[in-house]
Amino acid sequence: MNARRYPATVDVVIVGSGPTGSAYARILSERAPGTTIAMFEVGPTVSDPPGAHVKNIADPAERARAQVASEGPGERGEKVASPGAAKAGVRGARPGTFLLEEGYAFDGEDGMPVAAMSSNVGGMAAHWTGACPRPNDSERIGFLDDLDELLDEADRLLGVTTDAFDSAPFGAIVRERLSAAVDAGRVDRTKVQRMPLAVHRREDGRLVWSGSDIVLGEVTRSNPAFSLFDESLAVRVLVEGGRAAGVVVRDLRSGAEHVVRARYVVVAADALRTPQLLWASGVRPEALGRYLNDQAQVVYASRLRDMPPLAEDAPTAGLAEYSGVSWVPFTDDMPFHGQIMQLDASPIPLAEDDPVVPGSIVGLGLFCAKDLRAEDRVAFDDDHVDGYGMPAPRIHYRLTDRDQEVVERARREITRLAEVIGDPVGDQPFTLPLGSSLHYQGSTRMGLVDDGTSVCDVDSEVWGVPDLFVAGNGVIPTATACNPTVTSVALAVRGARKIASVLARDRSAAVSASA
């Protein structure tokens, strides 16, 4: 799939190779065969097949090289790959991601000190946890009548399962104890349950985590009309006659720039770089970059009490950091989403004579929904550039009084849940620095009407610029606490179907006219 000769013209240009950009390529390949598609990714190819999750790389050294290669544009990018650094008070990025060099906080604001991105084929889907919970209550997009069907399709594309960790020890006990604490008064869809995960277990027991390779699928990989260009920076969307007409792409290997014309342009970078490219292209609707929201995150750990030792033949093979993942869904009455993960080691050192039984340490994380405000935004100007020479994201962000109250409530709730599960590990829960969730949303949000509070319509087509579509978590218009990927892929499916229907109809009409 990796090509190097840039085409002069295609039907569809896709900027970004993450799960939403890949969803466009997949739906177009399925529904409009023959459509020519060029996908451009600023980062390198770090896995085989392209876009695969790095956790599927068996060799630790090779996996580490893939992570480092994903960490941005070179020496200017901050590459502190230490998951524990945030707790030590250091600006640290997770492996495979890189931080903003500056502009992440301003005086009098909270900012997002650990806002992070990835640059590689597959985007952050090469590094994510794979959690795919569905939105509930006010997290749902009320004006989309077909949301559930779109979510079903997103599950298909991502390869979502709920049984990959059924062999993890004590998982049922964890859910039983959580259920006793939170299920009263909840409907079935919001009761404690297994976390839907984009992962499956092979017959040999090995876990295979979904990345963009799974979303693309064989139908896209074998599509001769689809080409993927890595290390290719889209510097501008061409707008001619008021419509999107293609992109200008810089080959980062040679520095040469190329014009690629297209009938449709899909910008699926991420919630910071999609508005960046639109702004650099002079496409600047009032809501661009606004309503930015993250999910404040509170974490804690607990040790299951009264657990028997594992039998010698217990199925512990494949236990990993995310083994036995359980889900406490968001509700409007409890405005946070719980991700409960059994671990194979303690996050805090225990006594040497106190061995940890795999699966008996439980990590708890509560993600909090944010008040949506136009003032929370990613902005750009002509005076600051990033490591790629593009307008640098500058984040203005503040927690409201209600946000602070929700975080404090989450701290109390996570302490209660830790005590219900077992014996808390550590003195108190820890509130992670803002940006830690990596779930940035709202910066290219969807809306019903062009009233200045949204960037695109229900099909993700940008207001006032026909044939220009946006994709990614930034399109989600609601305040969510759950992991957003399955929702953003669902919205991408809707946009891709619109493009596919027009292209398929036009191709059919052309065939009929020539008959």
Side-chain angles (χ1 to χ4, degrees), residues 342-400:
Q342 290 173 255
L343 311 177
D344 55 10
S346 174
I348 296 175
L350 302 177
E352 291 184 4
D353 60 352
D354 187 12
V356 172
V357 176
S360 66
I361 300 294
V362 180
L364 301 93
L366 293 183
F367 296 76
C368 305
K370 172 82 170 70
D371 268 346
L372 299 185
R373 307 184 320 130
E375 296 87 348
D376 294 323
R377 66 195 189 278
V378 53
F380 308 93
D381 56 45
D382 294 322
D383 298 326
H384 300 86
V385 296
D386 65 11
Y388 294 107
M390 295 290 286
R394 300 176 69 74
I395 294 176
H396 297 274
Y397 196 76
R398 185 175 66 82
L399 297 185
T400 66

Side-chain angles (χ1 to χ4, degrees), residues 5 59 112 146 163 186 217 223 239 250 252 266 313-314 326 332 346 352 372 375 392 443 493 513:
R5 180 175 295 177
D59 180 10
M112 284 189 189
D146 56 350
D163 60 358
R186 290 184 173 225
N223 179 2
V239 180
R250 181 179 302 141
L252 295 184
V266 179
D313 60 348
S326 299
D332 288 340
S346 174
E352 291 184 4
L372 299 185
E375 296 87 348
S443 56
V493 166

Side-chain angles (χ1 to χ4, degrees), residues 225-401:
F226 171 75
S227 296
L228 168 62
F229 301 85
D230 64 1
E231 298 182 81
S232 298
L233 172 68
V235 297
R236 190 168 74 257
V237 175
L238 297 174
V239 180
E240 298 175 355
R243 310 181 75 91
V247 293
V248 177
V249 180
R250 181 179 302 141
D251 183 346
L252 295 184
R253 299 179 190 174
S254 68
E257 293 192 352
H258 304 264
V259 173
V260 180
R261 296 194 168 276
R263 181 168 177 183
Y264 294 100
V265 175
V266 179
V267 183
D270 55 41
L272 302 182
R273 288 180 285 186
T274 290
Q276 175 191 59
L277 180 55
L278 266 60
W279 193 90
S281 305
V283 179
R284 303 175 183 179
E286 184 178 345
L288 184 69
R290 293 187 177 273
Y291 301 96
L292 178 67
N293 64 101
D294 178 36
Q295 299 163 353
Q297 188 177 355
V298 179
V299 297
Y300 207 13
S302 185
R303 187 174 189 177
L304 295 172
R305 67 172 71 92
D306 305 324
M307 290 295 102
L310 290 178
E312 290 185 5
D313 60 348
T316 59
L319 267 177
E321 185 178 0
Y322 307 105
S323 294
V325 187
S326 299
W327 175 28
V328 181
F330 166 96
T331 68
D332 288 340
D333 291 332
M334 195 174 86
F336 22 79
H337 144 88
Q339 188 165 315
I340 317 299
M341 303 175 291
Q342 290 173 255
L343 311 177
D344 55 10
S346 174
I348 296 175
L350 302 177
E352 291 184 4
D353 60 352
D354 187 12
V356 172
V357 176
S360 66
I361 300 294
V362 180
L364 301 93
L366 293 183
F367 296 76
C368 305
K370 172 82 170 70
D371 268 346
L372 299 185
R373 307 184 320 130
E375 296 87 348
D376 294 323
R377 66 195 189 278
V378 53
F380 308 93
D381 56 45
D382 294 322
D383 298 326
H384 300 86
V385 296
D386 65 11
Y388 294 107
M390 295 290 286
R394 300 176 69 74
I395 294 176
H396 297 274
Y397 196 76
R398 185 175 66 82
L399 297 185
T400 66
D401 290 343

Side-chain angles (χ1 to χ4, degrees), residues 24-193:
Y24 270 84
R26 172 77 169 270
I27 296 300
L28 289 167
S29 295
E30 291 179 342
R31 293 194 167 213
T35 297
T36 53
I37 307 164
M39 175 180 283
F40 299 103
E41 167 58 51
V42 67
T45 300
V46 300
S47 55
D48 184 19
H53 201 298
V54 300
K55 282 199 291 189
N56 298 332
I57 301 174
D59 180 10
E62 185 180 346
R63 188 185 317 123
R65 284 192 293 271
Q67 290 170 332
V68 170
S70 304
E71 293 171 3
E75 294 302 318
R76 291 192 61 191
E78 188 171 346
K79 296 187 177 184
V80 184
S82 174
K87 189 168 184 177
V90 178
R91 286 188 70 225
R94 301 184 197 180
T97 73
F98 63 100
L99 304 174
L100 295 179
E101 298 174 42
E102 58 181 7
Y104 49 82
F106 291 89
D107 290 343
E109 300 175 357
D110 297 296
M112 284 189 189
V114 292
M117 299 167 282
S118 295
S119 289
N120 54 271
V121 172
M124 208 169 281
H127 312 283
W128 68 320
T129 66
C132 289
R134 294 195 176 195
N136 283 298
D137 291 359
S138 59
E139 291 182 307
R140 291 175 58 85
I141 305 169
F143 53 76
L144 291 183
D145 294 338
D146 56 350
L147 180 60
D148 288 320
E149 188 273 327
L150 294 171
L151 290 166
D152 288 342
E153 183 71 341
D155 281 349
R156 177 181 77 91
L157 298 184
L158 286 160
V160 175
T161 66
T162 58
D163 60 358
F165 287 102
D166 279 359
S167 63
F170 317 133
I173 294 173
V174 171
R175 285 188 290 276
E176 179 182 336
R177 294 180 181 181
L178 289 170
S179 295
V182 304
D183 277 358
R186 290 184 173 225
V187 298
D188 286 347
R189 73 171 186 276
T190 60
K191 289 181 178 179
V192 173
Q193 56 196 276

Side-chain angles (χ1 to χ4, degrees), residues 422-436:
D423 300 315
V425 178
D427 296 332
Q428 60 183 347
F430 182 71
T431 303
L432 295 177
L434 294 177
S436 297

